[in-house]
Amino acid sequence: MSASVSTSSIDLDKVPSRGFARIWGRSQSVIPSLAAVLLLIAMLVYAELAYGRVFHMGTMSSLLVSFAPTIILAVGMTIVILSGGIDLSVGAVVAFTSVAGVMLMDIGVNGWLAIVLMIVFGAMFGLVSGVLIQYFNVQPFIATLAMMFLARGLASILSTVPVQAPDDSPILLLATDFKLIDGPKVNDLVLTPGFFIAVLVVIGAFFFLHRTRSGRTIYGIGGAESSAQLMGLPVARTRVSIYIISGALAGLAAVVYTAEVGGKAQNVTAIGWELDAIAAVVIGGTLLTGGAGYVLGSVVGSLVLATLWMIITKDGTIRPEYLTIITGGILLVFVLLQRVLTARRRR
Amino acid sequence: MTSFLKTLVRTPWFWGIVGIVLLLTLNVIKDPNYLSLGINPTTGMLAGNLLDILRVSAPIIMIALGMTFVIATKGIDLSVGSIMAVGGAAAMESLSAAGAPTSVGAMLTAIGIALLLGAVLGLVNGLLVSVIGLQPFISTLVMMLAGRGIARVITGGQNTNATNEPFRQIANGQILGLPISFVAAIVIVVLVSVIMRRTALGLMIESIGVNPAASRLAGIRPRPILIAVYILSGVLAATGGLFTVSEVMTVDVSGTGYQMELDAILAVVIGGTSLAGGKFSILGSTVGALLIATLNKTVLFLGISAAATPAFKAIVIVVLVLLQSERVRGYVLRLGRTRSRKEAVA
């Protein structure tokens, strides 16, 4: 595996000595993320030229607000994938925690307490996955696949019909519109607290990954686990906490999503969201094998997916059944791109 | 006698059979007539819960069989459920386009198209894994996404239905009182086992699972074998899709084969094929598939919502992977050793 844990530490014997080559060598791990940024700009420009009203505050706000849960999930997924793992359970955990949370609110549990409990439930699924993976050597995708089915099944045991939170639940406050910029007619920049939660999560994850020891340990585990172990890094504790964080963020995404849809929750929501999150992370330039990548790249990846979704809705001639094929295709292209880049770096 | 019992208890699929018996007992407690077979007056054919279980098990046996070899090479195929939908969609679309309600030719065309599509999708998986060298779970995850989309494109997003009596007979007809689909599944299982165990193919698959580099040095070329394994999995998944749509003569593009990949993985794990790769048990996977079919039917029979079945399967899979893990095995071994030592002292 490549030893490049960040831009500043690359294979020393391979650092080209002069000029452009050096910059090229240092910036290789940024290339996939840069490609994602270029793709995003290209897609936005194309959409603006083809359909108009894209660089439009109204369109932008609905795009950002409706993709806030995806961004939160993508942040959690980035941390898991950086460590060389995968979490397939996040979509089902969103379904379980939203149904469980809304039902708690319905039976009169304090609304804020219910929100905290939603995040705790999510963290508990993560704890189980983490323990299975770290202490029982279960492959990450098997452990989290099991949690995916457990969470989906438990959500269905709770209720197979949509449940609705009471009208006075505090969770609904998270979807209050805040008009930041009052544009002409309906062209306003309107954002919700849910969106700001997503922004805080991104900022928090950025500092956690790049400015703390635990963050560095995560890159270390993904780069080469045995070296991380030999360096005395707390591999076991960190790996379990990675899955707890991912689960807790899934719970938080459920809070934001439930608020956004007006306090409604159903056992079949969020099917396939784990794939969106994985796609966002991979498009954003994080290596699927772990050890290299950026949380901000995953945000760009989420926005690429959001723009794709917007283009398909605006276009109207692309039938929705092509959506999964296109997402799968883009995912594949980016995985192949990573493959080419890592192969070149190893040579 | 005791040594025979000991080997039996150590055989992984023995516990699968114990599970089936336990589930059936649970059903008999709820309804003492559960196991009885009778003649259905309208169709004049043998009918009963046991036959239903066998019919439901046919597609699971198919995908579990394919998954067995994929897992033996240390891979995974998450796309089997979607390929089932693609196979079913292709067959239904072709039958409804043919519009020949009794034609055997139309049935064969439909089956041919479905199997071919399954083989092509399997080939793509195989190429991604072996030539490009992507991780199996991500290649097949992409195929799982795309496959569901392809099924929707084939039918134009609709749940196509068709009428063709010969095709309907696959799941609804009987040979010697058994559902044709189940008999066909068993024939395929026997055929594949003969190919795997009477030639070196099975051994080569296991050797790739143990150590791909060492097997290459031993003269085994991993690429063609990996590709073949994924094609086989794709074809078998399409077969499973045919069995499923033949039952109701409709393809549900979002429901056919949905989440069946866990059923396949679960069946393989119950059958004692280690997820770490390197060995497989065809008989075990078949028993595992039967257990899952029984579990599906039991959950429904006990009046629990079908949507809740995944939770029970998840618990089974967690228990099984725990039993396979070194830590738990070591603990159990230590327990056994201390007990025998105590016995020796006494």
Side-chain angles (χ1 to χ4, degrees):
Chain A
M1 204 46 253
S2 144
S4 66
V5 289
S6 78
T7 40
S8 55
S9 67
I10 45 171
D11 305 356
L12 284 175
D13 52 333
K14 283 171 200 156
V15 178
S17 49
R18 262 177 290 128
F20 179 72
R22 186 155 103 202
I23 297 168
W24 172 251
R26 276 180 185 276
S27 57
Q28 284 225 329
S29 69
V30 198
I31 293 172
S33 302
L34 276 180
V37 174
L38 290 179
L39 179 70
L40 178 62
I41 295 172
M43 284 171 81
L44 285 172
V45 170
Y46 166 77
E48 173 70 41
L49 292 178
Y51 316 107
R53 289 168 47 94
V54 168
F55 296 112
H56 179 268
M57 283 187 284
T59 314
M60 282 294 161
S61 5
S62 66
L63 203 66
L64 291 175
V65 168
S66 63
F67 266 75
T70 314
I71 292 175
I72 297 176
L73 290 181
V75 168
M77 193 65 80
T78 313
I79 299 176
V80 176
I81 291 183
L82 277 176
S83 77
I86 194 89
D87 189 349
L88 299 178
S89 68
V90 289
V93 169
V94 167
F96 173 79
T97 49
S98 58
V99 171
V102 168
M103 286 177 90
L104 283 176
M105 292 171 202
D106 277 339
I107 58 168
V109 174
N110 177 292
W112 296 111
L113 178 64
I115 290 176
V116 173
L117 283 177
M118 285 168 81
I119 299 171
V120 171
F121 290 154
M124 276 167 33
F125 281 102
L127 174 67
V128 178
S129 307
V131 167
L132 283 177
I133 293 163
Q134 177 61 39
Y135 295 104
F136 295 97
N137 272 330
V138 181
Q139 284 148 292
F141 76 87
I142 292 290
T144 55
L145 199 66
M147 285 309 111
M148 162 179 169
F149 280 78
L150 185 64
R152 189 69 71 185
L154 289 178
S156 310
I157 290 175
L158 285 181
S159 167
T160 47
V161 291
V163 286
Q164 171 70 47
D167 291 336
D168 56 346
S169 309
I171 194 169
L172 299 175
L173 296 176
L174 294 179
T176 327
D177 286 342
F178 281 101
K179 200 175 280 185
L180 290 186
I181 302 174
D182 196 1
K185 291 185 188 162
V186 288
N187 188 11
D188 307 326
L189 188 66
V190 182
L191 295 171
T192 61
F195 170 76
F196 292 111
I197 291 179
V199 173
L200 284 180
V201 166
V202 172
I203 296 173
F206 183 82
F207 274 95
F208 173 66
L209 284 173
H210 297 289
R211 291 282 176 273
T212 66
R213 242 186 271 180
S214 307
R216 204 143 275 274
T217 307
I218 291 171
Y219 276 95
I221 295 177
E225 190 188 334
S226 43
S227 320
Q229 197 102 52
L230 288 174
M231 280 189 269
L233 297 175
V235 171
R237 201 181 62 205
T238 311
R239 166 139 331 113
V240 175
S241 22
I242 287 168
Y243 289 91
I244 295 179
I245 293 172
S246 174
L249 286 179
L252 186 62
V255 171
V256 171
Y257 179 72
T258 310
E260 193 193 301
V261 294
K264 209 176 286 154
Q266 215 181 337
N267 62 329
V268 291
T269 44
I271 285 179
W273 284 18
E274 54 281 342
L275 298 179
D276 290 347
I278 295 172
V281 172
V282 172
I283 293 171
T286 299
L287 281 190
L288 260 176
T289 42
Y294 304 94
V295 70
L296 294 180
S298 307
V299 175
V300 176
S302 315
L303 294 178
V304 167
L305 290 180
T307 316
L308 176 70
W309 176 79
M310 179 188 72
I311 289 178
I312 287 175
T313 350
K314 283 210 174 215
D315 186 90
T317 59
I318 304 173
R319 297 210 308 263
E321 51 258 35
Y322 282 95
L323 184 62
T324 52
I325 301 186
I326 297 172
T327 320
I330 294 185
L331 180 57
L332 185 60
V333 168
F334 273 82
V335 173
L336 292 179
L337 181 72
Q338 286 187 359
R339 195 67 210 159
V340 173
L341 284 175
T342 46
R344 183 180 297 162
R345 212 180 304 163
R346 215 174 289 157
R347 214 175 288 149
Chain B
M1 188 60 203
T2 45
S3 72
F4 170 71
L5 267 181
K6 258 185 194 162
T7 18
L8 197 63
V9 170
R10 287 221 186 104
T11 319
W13 51 261
F14 170 75
W15 295 106
I17 292 178
V18 170
I20 296 175
V21 171
L22 281 179
L23 286 172
L24 289 179
T25 316
L26 203 62
N27 289 334
V28 170
I29 291 171
K30 169 133 195 226
D31 174 7
N33 293 326
Y34 188 80
L35 295 179
S36 65
L37 298 171
I39 303 286
N40 185 330
T42 47
T43 57
M45 281 191 296
L46 209 56
N49 290 315
L50 284 181
L51 291 182
D52 278 344
I53 291 178
L54 292 186
R55 181 177 308 120
V56 176
S57 72
I60 308 177
I61 292 177
M62 291 292 90
I63 50 174
L65 183 61
M67 189 72 81
T68 307
F69 305 118
V70 175
I71 288 183
T73 65
K74 226 182 219 168
I76 195 89
D77 189 349
L78 297 179
S79 66
V80 288
S82 295
I83 296 184
M84 281 177 74
V86 172
M92 282 297 114
E93 227 13 73
S94 136
L95 283 178
S96 90
T102 55
S103 155
V104 177
M107 171 187 81
L108 293 178
T109 320
I111 294 178
I113 294 176
L115 297 188
L116 186 69
L117 269 175
V120 170
L121 296 185
L123 172 69
V124 174
N125 279 336
L127 288 176
L128 289 178
V129 170
S130 69
V131 178
I132 300 178
L134 292 184
Q135 291 143 290
F137 92 87
I138 201 73
S139 326
T140 54
L141 199 66
V142 169
M143 188 52 77
M144 170 179 162
L145 259 180
R148 198 53 71 189
I150 292 170
R152 292 210 171 95
V153 169
I154 290 174
T155 65
Q158 307 200 318
N159 293 340
T160 308
N161 51 3
T163 34
N164 180 290
E165 195 45 33
F167 191 83
R168 206 186 72 88
Q169 286 295 324
I170 295 177
N172 295 293
Q174 290 184 340
I175 298 176
L176 303 172
L178 295 172
I180 293 180
S181 57
F182 177 72
V183 175
I186 293 301
V187 169
I188 295 173
V189 167
V190 171
L191 260 174
V192 173
S193 337
V194 168
I195 296 172
M196 291 294 170
R197 290 306 190 193
R198 290 283 167 246
T199 69
L201 192 59
L203 205 60
M204 290 182 187
I205 289 175
E206 291 181 330
S207 114
I208 291 176
V210 175
N211 189 334
S215 22
R216 196 169 54 234
L217 292 178
I220 297 170
R221 293 200 305 159
R223 269 185 198 173
I225 291 177
L226 277 176
I227 294 176
V229 162
Y230 282 93
I231 292 181
L232 180 65
S233 176
V235 171
L236 288 173
T239 316
L242 291 176
F243 290 163
T244 309
V245 294
S246 151
E247 216 170 303
V248 283
M249 290 309 279
T250 310
V251 61
D252 174 356
V253 281
S254 45
T256 300
Y258 176 64
Q259 293 193 337
M260 294 274 281
E261 48 285 338
L262 188 83
D263 285 358
I265 297 172
L266 189 48
V268 169
V269 177
I270 293 172
T273 298
S274 155
L275 282 172
K279 60 170 185 177
F280 63 79
S281 159
I282 297 175
L283 180 60
S285 300
T286 314
V287 171
L290 282 169
L291 174 60
I292 296 194
T294 319
L295 180 67
N296 284 344
K297 282 282 170 191
T298 304
V299 168
L300 276 184
F301 188 69
L302 296 181
I304 304 166
S305 156
T309 15
F312 298 97
K313 292 179 188 163
I315 293 167
V316 175
I317 208 167
V318 168
V319 170
L320 284 171
V321 291
L322 284 183
L323 289 179
Q324 281 190 1
S325 78
E326 304 255 316
R327 191 173 282 259
V328 174
R329 284 202 170 167
Y331 180 70
V332 172
L333 273 182
R334 242 176 292 136
L335 267 188
R337 224 174 284 147
T338 44
R339 196 179 300 148
S340 55
R341 210 176 294 144
K342 268 181 203 154
E343 275 165 12
V345 171

